[in-house]
Amino acid sequence: MLSKVLAMSCPRGGCTAPGQRILPRRMQATVSHTAAIREASEREEVVREAPSPRGLPLVGTTLSLWLRGSAAQLHRYVDLRHAQLGPVYREAIGPVDAYFVADPLEMRRVFQLEGKHPRNLLPDAWILYNQLYGCKRGLLFMDGEEWLHFRRIMNSIMLKDADTGMEQPCRQVAADLVAEWSQHAHQQVPRLEQALYQWSTEVLVANLVGGDKFAEHSSAIRRLPGLRGLSEQVRQVFCESSKLSLLPARVARAIRLPAWARFERAVDHAVHGASSLVLDLLPFSRGGDGMLERMLAAGVELSDTVRIVADLILAAGDTSAVTMQWVLYLLAKNPDAQERAAQDPQILRGVVKEAMRLYPVAPFLTRILPDESRLAGYTIPGGSLVLLSLYTSGRSAANFPDPSRFWPERWSRENSSGGLLGVNHASASIPFGLGARSCIGRKLADIQLTQLISQLLAGFRIELVEPEKEVDMVLRLVSVPNHPLKLKLVPRK
Ligand code: HEM
């Protein structure tokens, strides 16, 4: 079926660029191929256009994507395109015209070309919402000097020397969740997805007020009206945004699509809920060492603190919660690896990396390149949108031997001076992005995930309630399981 879909949109089963060979198998889309084109083209200094699939008149190739299962399967669709056209190609899908890049060296190069104020593509619906309601938002939505100014401050609070302060609040929130789940041992963990959203929101809140202050006031903070229900509102924003992803937001609004009205309601609740929560947290954070106090001490105005932190709450909710679901799924599917991870913190780290390699929350990183550039020898005009295909690069045999195997040890060193056991190109799996605009929450995410997993594994074996049911990855703005994950915890003693 799939080959028919591709053949329909691309009669030669190949590409349109002159002189470009057809690449029928994934393994042919390798680094050496890219390097050869790059060298030849750089020597000749010629303009080479990246290959692109042939589409039908008017609808382009969007129809192929719809036939493939629509936006939910975009990562697979693009994976097939890479296998067909090579590690760098161009395609217009719906309203988005982009260069797709899956080669790890070329991906690194994109970050070198991104300029002083890197720009990425934001969901159309979110931009329209901000414009309509004059909503000033946090880091993710900022550009230029404003972004750089606040990003530098947040770098020093969240990335430099942040580990020690983050450990304690992450440990406490994880301990509370494990205690709650232990009451349901041997049974299906109730409302797993919601519980993980709640956990990741609480982790951030605990870090905002600081470890000691959270320990002192945790029950009062958990009773705050703004906190109760917020994680559900954040979850709704992502559910509703994903339903609007293939249609221009202005059209959805103009034709009064119910999905647009639901999206507006969800964002209203989440943005206002998060902003009022930040104000409610201020009295608890005073005199502590949490992020809120540190932002105010660094001279960030209260109104800017509120909008930046409100967006951190939105950004933290889905990413960590969804990654944790994949970690739990992979551990439950692989009981041997689970036992090894329970004994060895090094392997536990590998578990998180493997989960993000196989199921990157954001399977496409985006950049708008400021100037004309070259990638794999192809000319990329200034202002072009580039999408880095993490799903493809993370599952390529050229980058990871036996790529579909969940093998946490692949991230261990062969010996003290050697490379990694099962990783040929570490930059083929960059789930937090790279460079100046990479994820600001990556340290926090790393600590919160390892804390929760290590506490769970210390007390329980994680098992699937329906082991025969395969779980697949679908794209709903972020990569989520295609049906709710059902787990149970079995006490070790
Ligand atoms: C496993 C968890 C997470 C993953 C996989 C993840 C992934 C990402 C990715 C891929 C980006 C874009 C990077 C780029 O374009 O180069 C990003 C940006 C961002 N993330 Fe995360 N993230 C996670 C957790 C968090 C958390 C916990 C927070 C907040 C505490 C957060 C806040 C942000 C913000 C604010 C940005 C925008 C940064 C900017 O534009 O300067 N993320 N994240």
Side-chain angles (χ1 to χ4, degrees):
M1 170 64 192
L2 184 63
S3 55
K4 277 193 202 144
V5 171
L6 290 174
M8 217 175 82
S9 60
C10 188
R12 283 188 293 127
C15 55
T16 55
Q20 177 69 38
R21 270 189 308 121
I22 296 169
L23 297 172
R25 285 179 51 234
R26 168 189 206 110
M27 282 302 294
Q28 283 177 271
T30 56
V31 179
S32 59
H33 168 80
T34 317
I37 298 176
R38 186 175 51 225
E39 270 169 33
S41 140
E42 271 162 13
R43 240 189 350 260
E44 293 162 23
E45 303 238 327
V46 289
V47 173
R48 284 182 64 105
E49 292 200 358
S52 56
R54 285 226 177 106
L56 297 172
L58 299 179
V59 291
T61 54
T62 308
L63 184 61
S64 316
L65 177 62
W66 278 112
L67 292 173
R68 180 75 186 98
S70 128
Q73 293 295 341
L74 185 64
H75 52 295
R76 287 226 172 78
Y77 174 85
V78 169
D79 192 40
L80 281 154
R81 286 293 191 212
H82 278 301
Q84 181 190 29
L85 300 175
V88 175
Y89 80 93
R90 180 181 183 177
E91 183 165 9
I93 299 175
V96 174
D97 184 356
Y99 291 85
F100 292 82
V101 180
D103 176 280
L105 300 179
E106 299 303 327
M107 286 183 356
R108 281 198 90 91
R109 212 169 128 65
V110 169
F111 295 106
Q112 290 159 6
L113 297 167
E114 66 184 8
K116 187 180 170 200
H117 305 122
R119 288 175 60 209
N120 44 32
L121 180 78
L122 292 167
D124 195 24
W126 295 26
I127 306 264
L128 181 60
Y129 176 91
N130 293 346
Q131 282 169 0
L132 288 173
Y133 299 102
C135 201
K136 285 184 92 184
R137 303 285 298 269
L139 281 181
L140 191 63
F141 294 88
M142 291 178 188
D143 273 324
E145 283 300 314
E146 185 196 33
W147 168 78
L148 191 58
H149 169 74
F150 288 115
R151 175 76 202 210
R152 282 183 175 145
I153 295 174
M154 296 313 289
N155 277 349
S156 70
I157 293 174
M158 296 185 71
L159 294 173
K160 286 189 208 135
D161 313 321
D163 316 37
T164 42
M166 288 175 170
E167 199 83 43
Q168 181 199 347
C170 291
R171 194 179 323 118
Q172 184 183 339
V173 177
D176 293 346
L177 180 60
V178 174
E180 192 189 318
W181 279 356
S182 65
Q183 293 170 20
H184 305 276
H186 298 288
Q187 303 153 27
Q188 183 182 330
V189 175
R191 294 165 55 84
L192 178 72
E193 192 191 345
Q194 285 85 348
L196 290 175
Y197 263 82
Q198 182 73 27
W199 156 76
S200 89
T201 308
E202 277 188 23
V203 163
L204 184 58
V205 163
N207 279 280
L208 287 171
V209 296
D212 290 342
K213 293 285 173 186
F214 186 73
E216 196 181 332
H217 302 293
S218 59
S219 23
I221 290 174
R222 283 188 172 122
R223 280 199 305 274
L224 285 174
L227 184 55
R228 279 185 283 126
L230 180 61
S231 52
E232 182 53 26
Q233 288 159 2
V234 174
R235 206 173 68 87
Q236 282 301 323
V237 171
F238 283 89
C239 284
E240 299 303 339
S241 310
S242 69
K243 292 176 194 154
L244 293 168
S245 58
L246 270 192
L247 196 67
R250 284 191 186 279
V251 175
R253 181 169 179 263
I255 62 173
R256 296 173 193 275
L257 207 66
W260 172 262
R262 285 200 303 271
F263 167 76
E264 268 193 342
R265 254 197 319 274
V267 182
D268 277 349
H269 284 142
V271 171
H272 293 121
S275 306
S276 62
L277 175 64
V278 179
L279 294 172
D280 289 346
L281 289 173
L282 282 172
F284 296 106
S285 70
R286 273 195 200 113
D289 63 348
M291 285 165 51
L292 279 175
E293 278 288 278
R294 289 158 71 193
M295 287 175 77
L296 295 170
V300 182
E301 297 282 335
L302 183 58
S303 58
D304 292 326
T305 302
V306 170
R307 66 178 169 131
I308 291 171
V309 171
D311 267 8
L312 288 182
I313 296 174
L314 301 195
D318 66 317
T319 44
S320 304
V322 171
T323 302
M324 191 65 201
Q325 284 191 58
W326 289 121
V327 167
L328 293 173
Y329 170 67
L330 286 166
L331 286 172
K333 264 294 239 197
N334 297 276
D336 293 346
Q338 186 179 151
E339 289 315 304
R340 297 196 301 277
Q343 308 301 327
D344 183 342
Q346 197 62 35
I347 299 178
L348 199 137
R349 274 201 190 89
V351 166
V352 178
K353 288 190 168 165
E354 276 294 84
M356 293 198 281
R357 174 181 73 83
L358 289 164
Y359 301 104
V361 163
F364 298 102
L365 300 179
T366 70
R367 283 294 181 275
I368 297 163
L369 293 187
D371 304 313
E372 184 179 292
S373 319
R374 264 170 195 254
L375 290 176
Y378 299 120
T379 307
I380 314 290
S384 296
L385 173 65
V386 175
L387 262 62
L388 308 188
S389 312
L390 294 194
Y391 178 83
T392 297
S393 61
R395 288 173 180 242
S396 152
N399 304 327
F400 301 97
D402 201 357
S404 46
R405 178 174 163 215
F406 171 68
W407 178 28
E409 285 87 344
R410 74 166 76 241
W411 295 94
S412 313
R413 298 240 161 248
E414 269 176 296
N415 55 48
S416 54
S417 59
L420 300 175
L421 256 183
V423 178
N424 297 342
H425 291 280
S427 61
S429 179
I430 42 171
F432 295 111
L434 275 186
R437 196 137 204 178
S438 63
C439 176
I440 191 87
R442 61 184 187 269
K443 220 167 210 174
L444 178 60
D446 193 40
I447 298 173
Q448 78 179 104
L449 289 165
T450 33
Q451 272 298 332
L452 182 54
I453 306 161
S454 62
Q455 291 191 33
L456 275 175
L457 290 182
F460 302 93
R461 281 200 321 275
I462 303 160
E463 293 182 3
L464 289 168
V465 173
E466 299 168 319
E468 68 294 340
K469 202 166 177 176
E470 280 302 316
V471 176
D472 194 15
M473 165 176 153
V474 288
L475 197 54
R476 303 231 167 84
L477 211 63
V478 291
S479 316
V480 295
N482 61 340
H483 53 73
L485 193 57
K486 294 182 186 168
L487 295 176
K488 67 177 172 204
L489 300 178
V490 178
R492 287 189 180 273
K493 291 177 216 124

